[in-house]
Amino acid sequence: MLTGNTPEQPARLYTEPPITAFGNASRQFDQAAHVLGLTDNQIAIVKLPRLIVQANLPVKMDDGRIRIFQAFRVQHNKARGPAKGGIRFHPDVNLDEVSALAFWMTVKCAVAGIPMGGAKGGVVVDPAGLSVTELERLSRRYVAELIEFFGPDVDVPAPDVGTNAQMMGWMMDTYIMHTRRYTPAAITGKPLEIGGSAGREAAAARGLLFNVQRWAQRTGHHLRGMTVAVQGFGNVGSWSARLLAADGCRVVAISDISGAYYNPDGIDVEAAIGHARANRGILASYETKPGVKKLDDAMHVLELPVDILVPAALENQITVKNAGRIRARLIAEGADGPITYDADEILNQAGIPVIPDILCNSGGVTVSYLEWVQNRIGLFWSEERVNRDLEEIMDRAFDAVYETAQHRGISMRMAAFVVGIELVVRASEARGLYA
Ligand code: NAD
């Protein structure tokens, strides 16, 4: 893209405005608002987060020192139900990022048809640098300090990057010890023994699989033999690789914080998961396996000529800098916000379809919702039952987005925003503004 192409002002390369996650989210919102023709009042009521909580959590370290951890919880919108969203433990997490993630949760829940609003939490910490006992004290402190903002009818946290089922168990216990009521529905993504749902661990990736399958069905493609590259090999990345491989795809590249690993004949996903498990959760030294090559630059995992690219690490991975080099035939977003607003335009122009995060990875929050429902009615459903419900919800959501995209001639991402934001606006108007 060129701008300022006049004799006085020589052409210069377009540079993307500074990328912030909430900046991206706001531009997405504005475009969807334009497509929907929202009024200023409608925009005012759904654009900004409704509640922002910031805290400094004191936590005693194993050596007796007290360390302060900066923490956030943002509730974006609760017009359709209690807020729902994960808690991220990461050294770079900040209020801008958490606010964007909370907004995406609002839209994600609406697109999936889940009666919940959107929230997200974060703690500025590198969890790998803490002992298990320190992580437990930090997880408990987070809930103890912010307890008035949580509850099954208020705001229901879940795991995200850097947090896991065990931490959710500690958080649930802290909530129960403070409130003196057994309310497992206060937190989802818990261990099975204390009310976690069957199928929750794989849910985001299984939802991704259902979306990719539905896309293939509706566009006349066959997944068998399709090549796949996956960025990120945590919960979403490793499960996506596993489930796509089990469905007949050939996973040729995987990556994580340690680098990117490529085998054109296909990565043995189960062996890679075993390798990471035995190696503190990371793939480091996976290039020592037969046929596997480590890419010089881990970001090149995004640029391989594959059928399906699954970004499943963090946001802002595909930007104007590398969007023009993407050669995938389909991008299925496992991560939240992996493609910037401007990069999205480049991919649209190149005709590369993107199944957007707020649809593609919504299997995670969907099974979290099913866990919340099971906890509230005191029942446990089988994994088959949970997966069946998940598939039905994903197919319905995919069809609504796909048909809106076709009907309006817009990308699937914009269609998902249009579908989701319209539902939130309608719910807000049906409730009216309490004064
Ligand atoms: P995770 O912590 O389990 O895994 C993150 C992975 O990304 C790790 O393998 C890490 O090594 C890798 N990574 C980090 N920085 C990287 C980089 N620069 N390059 C390559 N790899 C890198 O987290 P997760 O739960 O799998 O979440 C991943 C993404 O999916 C996040 O955007 C999250 O918001 C989104 N998501 C997760 C769920 C869920 O249920 N877990 C649901 C919906 C969306």
Side-chain angles (χ1 to χ4, degrees):
M1 273 177 276
L2 297 174
T3 57
N5 193 9
T6 65
E8 299 79 37
Q9 205 183 4
R12 57 191 160 77
L13 275 177
Y14 173 83
T15 46
E16 206 166 11
I19 303 165
T20 74
F22 196 71
N24 272 330
S26 295
R27 293 171 78 191
Q28 291 164 336
F29 179 92
D30 292 343
Q31 197 185 337
H34 178 73
V35 173
L36 279 166
L38 295 188
T39 63
D40 288 348
N41 277 354
Q42 289 170 325
I43 290 172
I45 213 144
V46 291
K47 183 168 176 177
L48 293 176
R50 295 294 271 275
L51 183 77
I52 297 176
V53 185
Q54 190 164 340
N56 292 310
L57 309 179
V59 176
K60 197 174 267 179
M61 300 289 100
D62 290 344
D63 65 5
R65 272 181 319 129
I66 288 177
R67 251 179 83 181
I68 300 293
F69 293 90
Q70 208 182 6
F72 312 101
R73 186 72 183 172
V74 174
Q75 292 172 1
H76 176 265
N77 190 290
K78 299 203 284 186
R80 300 181 59 262
K84 187 91 197 73
I87 301 173
R88 180 169 292 193
F89 279 17
H90 193 277
D92 299 330
V93 78
N94 57 61
L95 196 51
D96 175 273
E97 179 182 55
V98 175
S99 302
L101 291 162
F103 164 62
W104 289 326
M105 286 305 297
T106 297
V107 188
K108 200 183 284 191
C109 289
V111 172
I114 293 167
M116 296 186 121
K120 203 80 177 191
V123 177
V124 184
V125 60
D126 175 8
L130 298 191
S131 70
V132 173
T133 47
E134 288 168 341
L135 273 179
E136 176 172 356
R137 287 196 290 274
L138 176 57
S139 304
R140 288 185 180 281
R141 193 79 206 180
Y142 182 85
V143 170
E145 293 256 356
L146 304 183
I147 197 153
E148 62 267 44
F149 303 105
F150 295 131
D153 297 314
V154 183
D155 179 354
V156 185
D160 188 69
V161 176
T163 52
N164 57 30
Q166 174 59 80
M167 294 177 192
M168 297 306 114
W170 294 327
M171 289 185 183
M172 176 194 109
D173 181 66
T174 309
Y175 184 83
I176 289 173
M177 294 312 288
H178 277 255
T179 57
R180 318 305 289 171
R181 291 283 179 278
Y182 189 74
T183 37
I187 311 267
T188 61
K190 304 176 294 290
L192 277 176
E193 299 77 6
I194 50 172
S197 178
R200 172 64 185 88
E201 196 195 323
R206 195 174 297 283
L208 182 145
L209 173 74
F210 290 146
N211 272 285
V212 171
Q213 286 175 337
R214 196 71 170 176
W215 169 85
Q217 217 179 67
R218 303 232 28 181
T219 56
H221 289 86
H222 295 283
L223 293 188
R224 181 151 292 281
M226 279 200 176
T227 53
V228 178
V230 181
Q231 184 200 38
F233 208 62
N235 173 299
V236 182
S238 65
W239 271 104
S240 296
R242 176 182 254 164
L243 295 175
L244 285 164
D247 206 46
C249 295
R250 180 156 46 99
V251 178
V252 294
I254 52 178
S255 84
D256 72 359
I257 198 75
S258 71
Y261 308 87
Y262 178 58
N263 183 350
D265 296 329
I267 301 262
D268 180 342
V269 177
E270 293 307 321
I273 290 174
H275 178 86
R277 217 174 259 152
N279 201 20
R280 289 175 298 114
I282 53 173
L283 288 165
S285 78
Y286 193 65
E287 70 276 17
T288 55
K289 302 291 174 213
V292 179
K293 191 179 124 206
K294 187 169 181 177
L295 300 181
D296 295 338
D297 180 342
M299 289 298 280
H300 289 164
V301 73
L302 301 169
E303 299 170 18
L304 295 168
V306 290
D307 294 307
I308 306 171
L309 173 63
V310 180
L314 293 172
E315 54 273 4
N316 302 335
Q317 298 301 301
I318 301 179
T319 66
V320 292
K321 290 204 184 93
N322 58 358
R325 295 197 295 271
I326 303 297
R327 287 180 287 169
R329 289 168 60 200
L330 170 73
I331 302 179
E333 290 186 324
D336 288 313
I339 302 175
T340 64
Y341 184 89
D342 286 323
D344 222 25
E345 293 285 305
I346 295 171
L347 297 171
N348 279 341
Q349 276 164 27
I352 300 174
V354 176
I355 309 179
D357 46 10
I358 50 172
L359 168 67
C360 198
N361 69 31
S362 63
V365 71
T366 299
V367 174
S368 267
Y369 158 68
L370 296 176
E371 177 176 335
W372 177 84
V373 172
Q374 291 169 75
N375 293 160
R376 299 195 74 151
I377 58 176
L379 270 181
F380 291 112
W381 296 334
S382 68
E383 187 168 351
E384 292 69 41
R385 158 82 199 263
V386 170
N387 289 346
R388 213 172 43 237
D389 285 359
L390 174 63
E391 183 168 13
E392 199 183 309
I393 292 171
M394 290 294 95
D395 284 354
R396 205 185 314 130
F398 183 93
D399 288 351
V401 169
Y402 185 79
E403 277 151 26
T404 301
Q406 299 283 307
H407 175 67
R408 290 187 179 259
I410 53 180
S411 68
M412 277 192 279
R413 184 187 311 285
M414 205 30 63
F417 277 108
V418 163
V419 168
I421 290 172
E422 187 174 20
L423 287 169
V424 180
V425 167
R426 278 212 235 134
S428 301
E429 293 189 332
R431 286 177 60 163
L433 192 56
Y434 174 81

